[in-house]
Amino acid sequence: RYRLFKEASASEQWLEILEGLPEYTGMRLAGYKPYECAEIIHQKSAKMNSFVRSFAYLTGPAYGLLLDEAKPMWRKELTLKSHLDLILKSSQRKPNVVSLIRARKHTFRYEGATIMLEEQLRAKSRRMAIKSFKKDLIEGPVLWFPKGKCMVTFDPQTQIPLDRDRFVFPEAQVIGAFGRLKTTSGLLIVRKTWQPCVKAPLETVSGREIEGPGWSLILNEGWQIVPGDRKGDFWIQHRE
């Protein structure tokens, strides 16, 4: 898989270290036996709709259990840059040679056909969502939040990258000095500034409790919505 997707190794490695290993540690500290951990991992995987950003909660403990058996002192060589798969591979006296053809032959053991179909449907749905969010939140008018510290609550499994600079959470909540917003119609975030925006209100609005297309906003005292630089855009701004 890493041969097909060159960037996957680096992007997945840090999730396995930062999310997967704490999951493994929790299981071990709870006193679960290896077979009990394996059952927990299996049960969790069956409940997941997607492995996007959540796979490490499965692979981290799985690698940890395999390494406990194959290389008991493996934790002493861990760093933030460690690759659990490479540590496990180094513990094998005769590493297996993996080929794409051989990997495909083994997919039936892991419901490969079902997974492929699910991923194809998910990819189609994702393309449609990206097209829709680009139309609404990039090409169309938006309501921008003020730059600065905002606390954003979201489900990380639902994150949809639009390009290198922007991504969307379909549902989210934003809390800041301006007030509070809840949306079910998409929240776009600019990576560098972490500045969010939502679809613009359909007309000029006033007051502190405001309803927009798929979102609701409660402004704190002293804040208001004003027209933006681009036609149809708005900003949340503090009154001078």
Side-chain angles (χ1 to χ4, degrees), residues 40-56:
I40 291 172
I41 294 170
H42 177 71
Q43 291 176 359
K44 283 187 175 182
S45 67
K47 295 178 182 178
M48 290 181 175
N49 295 323
S50 170
F51 293 134
V52 175
R53 287 194 64 85
S54 60
F55 72 92

Side-chain angles (χ1 to χ4, degrees), residues 71-96:
K71 196 173 185 178
M73 305 300 288
W74 65 276
R75 291 184 296 274
K76 289 191 174 182
E77 62 183 82
L78 273 180
T79 69
L80 289 176
K81 296 183 179 181
S82 294
H83 287 253
L84 300 182
D85 60 312
L86 296 182
I87 297 176
L88 181 61
K89 184 178 180 180
S90 69
S91 69
Q92 298 176 324
R93 294 182 179 179
K94 187 178 179 181
N96 292 325

